[in-house]
């Protein structure tokens, strides 16, 4: 299939597009700042803690040196305030920006800031920011709290990417007012991605032999199209179609076919990168091929953000274990020995005031020791940077998140290929961050599914008229590079993976017909799978054996309500649906379904909290409960979906996003259970003909025709 060749945009069009990206990015940044400021200013610390945005009553356990001479601070529950050493429920993750405050003081606009480095059940470690790092642990109060902040680093990097792209085109970086009349000679790939030139593919691809023993025909066709690309190729992977397998094969094939080439592999999230890393380094055929091609793999980013089994592939671990790393280890040891003298001993647990009074150097002696620490840190950073550079120069495959690809660690490195997984969940500018690392002849491969969740965007920036040119102005940051390339050049630049290995045909049917033009087929290994295959007592005429079940609450008065908790003031819940969820799961477990094989999803955080509280009391957390957004890319034997919305106004809220619903209805392997009000969700209000409402109407019709329908008694 050939690609479309639209008329190229003018320099003014390109500049307007860059300006629109800048406006949307600034709006998103301001929205996140505003929301964070509102929470911190209006919510007491206890309210923040209740919603996982703060940890209270912590003490400083240790201050030490970490990779890159970072000051690491270990925090744990203070024994004076907590009976358990386990941290409370929270949302802190590696990479989050946070602030340390005095536990007894009112909320402060400023304080000691850091980035979450590592999270354990009973301890959280921060890397203090260089500009505000406290060298002296004695300056920390005996009791502190940790508060989550908005992360500006992501936006700063995206601003830098936008400026780099503008410079490569010879256009003044936004928000410059001067108008460009012509464009500089950017790389061929950049010109193609902006619609200035059409993409091309070679008539034949290099001879290649599949390494994975079970690649299907559509995966092989997709790889052949990618290997023929002169500029880029899109790999469209609907749910369960083996996208990760195809991308891992592509990475290894590139390393083997081009012996001198360097490949930068990125993903929208750490999990996406780690899934590819795990597949590449753990598949025997790939390990052998890479060893033969002398292609080493290095993962950049905090080791704490990487799955434990994969830390051996990280830059930090490879640097520390290299022969050149011995000097760095010696310097780190010397720094930690000095820090041990300057800081309280590890036995000085938070809340133990007598231990905190252990004698430490004072006056001139203390200043001299800190000067030694600072000098050693400078030496450490220099040596660590040199060792990391040596390791990276040896690596032919480098893996990072799209954000991580902007790290200064890669500033002196150019790549021949960029592979971006989950590109439909990454902002367009996030994808440009690794693309701008390409050599002039570089090529890029994007994988994803535009029918699943887009990037998470909070801002509702002023809308613009998108226009119909080859470089239309995006209405929102949700418009991804994958989306734009598909709209610009058509299906000819895309390869569809058409065989899915996850769900039975009954569960697959609706999404296949309405979102994938009926082009998907279920592999024989999953087409007819049922719960009874697991020894469960039930068949297709039983709500606990049927592949598709619908509990219709129409006319029962099981109405939704708005959650009254401050931080969830826009969320909804439906206690009656939560009870139906609990009843169905109880009967499944009674018939032999393991709780760990069940997931419960809802589009609303308040409903997730309600259901999780109920089920945790019975199953101790073995039944996974979460929002739809958190389940993309994952699967369970049974998925129960609570839709929540039930009202006389037929208001459906989040359910209008068919991409979110597509994720929800394609996570289950053997049974999908839907609980909802068919009248509220499926009824078409007078004069309503939007694609979203027509989709919901068709789904309710499909469920009534093809699911085992359980009418809920009033």
């Amino acid at each position: 299939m050939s690609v479309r060749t639209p008329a190229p945009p003018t320099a003014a069009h390109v500049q307007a597009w860059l300006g629109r990206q800048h406006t949307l990015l600034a709006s998103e940044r301001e929205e996140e700042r505003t929301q964070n400021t509102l929470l911190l200013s209006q919510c007491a610390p206890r309210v923040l803690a209740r919603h996982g945005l703060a940890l209270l009553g912590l003490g400083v356990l240790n201050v030490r040196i970490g990779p890159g001479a970072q000051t690491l601070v270990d925090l744990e529950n203070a024994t004076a305030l907590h009976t358990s050493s386990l941290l409370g429920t929270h949302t802190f993750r590696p990479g989050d920006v946070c602030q340390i405050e005095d536990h007894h003081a009112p909320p402060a606009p400023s304080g000691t800031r850091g980035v979450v480095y590592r999270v354990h059940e009973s301890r959280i470690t921060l890397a203090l920011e260089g500009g505000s790092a406290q060298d002296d642990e004695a300056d920390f109060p005996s009791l502190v709290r940790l508060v989550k902040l908005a992360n500006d680093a992501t936006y700063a990097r995206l601003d830098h990417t936008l400026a780099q792209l503008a410079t490569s085109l010879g256009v003044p970086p936004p928000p410059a007012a001067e108008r460009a009349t012509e464009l500089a000679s950017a790389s061929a790939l950049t010109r193609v991605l902006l619609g200035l030139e059409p993409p091309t593919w070679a008539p034949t691809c290099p001879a290649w032999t599949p390494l994975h023993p079970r690649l299907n025909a559509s995966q092989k066709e997709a790889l052949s199209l990618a290997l023929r690309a002169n500029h880029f190729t899109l790999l469209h992977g609907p749910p369960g179609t083996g996208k990760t397998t195809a991308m891992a094969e592509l990475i290894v094939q590139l390393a083997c076919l081009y012996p001198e080439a360097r490949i930068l592999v990125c993903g929208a999230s750490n999990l996406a990168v780690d899934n590819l890393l795990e597949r590449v380094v753990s598949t025997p055929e790939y390990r052998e091929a890479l060893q033969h091609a002398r292609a080493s793999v290095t993962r950049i980013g905090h080791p704490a953000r990487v799955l434990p089994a994969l830390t051996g592939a990280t830059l930090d671990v490879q640097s520390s274990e290299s022969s050149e790393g011995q000097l760095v280890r010696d310097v780190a040891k010397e720094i930690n020995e000095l820090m041990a003298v300057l800081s309280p001993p590890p036995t000085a647990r938070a809340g133990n005031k007598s231990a905190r009074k252990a004698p430490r150097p004072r006056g001139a002696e203390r200043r001299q020791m800190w000067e030694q620490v600072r000098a050693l840190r400078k030496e450490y950073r220099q040596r660590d940077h040199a060792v990391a550079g040596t390791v990276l120069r040896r690596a032919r495959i480098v893996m990072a998140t799209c954000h991580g690809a902007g790290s200064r660690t890669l500033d002196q490195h150019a790549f021949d290929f960029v592979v971006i997984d989950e590109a439909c969940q990454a902002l367009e500018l996030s994808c440009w961050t690794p693309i701008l690392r390409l050599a002039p002849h570089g090529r890029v491969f994007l994988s994803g599914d535009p029918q699943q969740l887009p990037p998470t965007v909070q801002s509702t920036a002023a809308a613009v008229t998108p226009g119909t040119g080859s470089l239309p102005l995006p209405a929102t940051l949700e418009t991804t590079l994958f989306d734009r390339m598909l709209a610009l050049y058509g299906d000819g630049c895309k390869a569809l993976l058409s065989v899915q290995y996850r769900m039975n045909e009954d569960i697959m049917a609706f999404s296949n017909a309405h979102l994938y033009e009926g082009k998907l087929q279920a592999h024989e290994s999953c087409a007819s799978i049922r719960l009874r295959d697991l020894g469960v007592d039930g068949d297709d005429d039983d709500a606990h054996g049927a592949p598709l079940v619908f509990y219709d609450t129409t006319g029962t008065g099981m109405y939704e309500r708005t959650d009254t908790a401050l931080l969830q003031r826009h969320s909804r819940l439906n206690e009656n649906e939560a009870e139906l969820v609990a009843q169905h799961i109880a009967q499944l477990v009674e018939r032999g379904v393991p709780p760990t094989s069940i997931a419960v999803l809802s589009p609303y955080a308040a409903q997730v909290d309600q259901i999780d509280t109920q089920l945790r009391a019975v199953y101790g957390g073995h039944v996974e409960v979460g929002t739809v957004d958190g389940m993309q890319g994952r699967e369970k034997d049974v998925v129960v979906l609570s839709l929540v919305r039930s009202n006389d106004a037929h208001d459906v809220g989040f359910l209008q996003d068919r991409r979110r619903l597509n994720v929800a209805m394609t996570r289950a392997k053997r049974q999908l259970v839907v609980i909802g009000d068919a009248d509220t969700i499926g009824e078409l209000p007078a004069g309503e003909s939007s694609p979203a409402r027509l989709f919901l109407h068709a789904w309710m019709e499909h469920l009534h025709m093809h699911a085992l329908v359980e009418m809920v008694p009033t």
Side-chain angles (χ1 to χ4, degrees), residues 122-139:
S122 59
R123 185 181 308 168
I124 187 165
T125 301
L126 306 184
L128 298 188
E129 289 185 350
S132 62
Q134 286 176 258
D135 283 333
D136 192 346
E137 191 273 341
D139 289 341

Side-chain angles (χ1 to χ4, degrees), residues 31-56 91-92 97-101 105-113 145-151 566-567 569:
E31 178 67 19
E32 186 167 326
R33 283 175 176 169
T34 300
Q35 290 188 14
N36 189 261
T37 301
L38 183 66
L39 290 175
L40 296 182
S41 63
Q42 295 191 0
C43 298
R46 289 189 179 278
V47 176
L48 294 175
R50 193 160 59 243
H51 292 275
L53 300 176
L55 287 168
L56 311 183
T91 62
F92 290 91
V97 178
C98 50
Q99 180 168 288
I100 302 175
E101 301 175 356
S110 61
T112 301
R113 297 195 174 190
R145 63 173 172 261
L146 195 62
V147 180
K148 194 172 182 179
L149 302 178
N151 187 355
L566 177 62
L567 300 186
R569 57 191 180 280

Side-chain angles (χ1 to χ4, degrees), residues 25 58 65 67 103 114 135 157 171 186 224 265 381 394 401 423 447 455 504 565 585 587 621 623 690:
L25 192 61
L58 303 177
I65 191 69
H103 174 79
D135 283 333
R157 186 158 287 173
V171 174
S224 292
V265 179
R381 278 190 286 267
R394 294 174 186 155
T401 60
S447 78
N504 63 50
I585 291 175
Q587 293 173 359
V623 174
S690 68

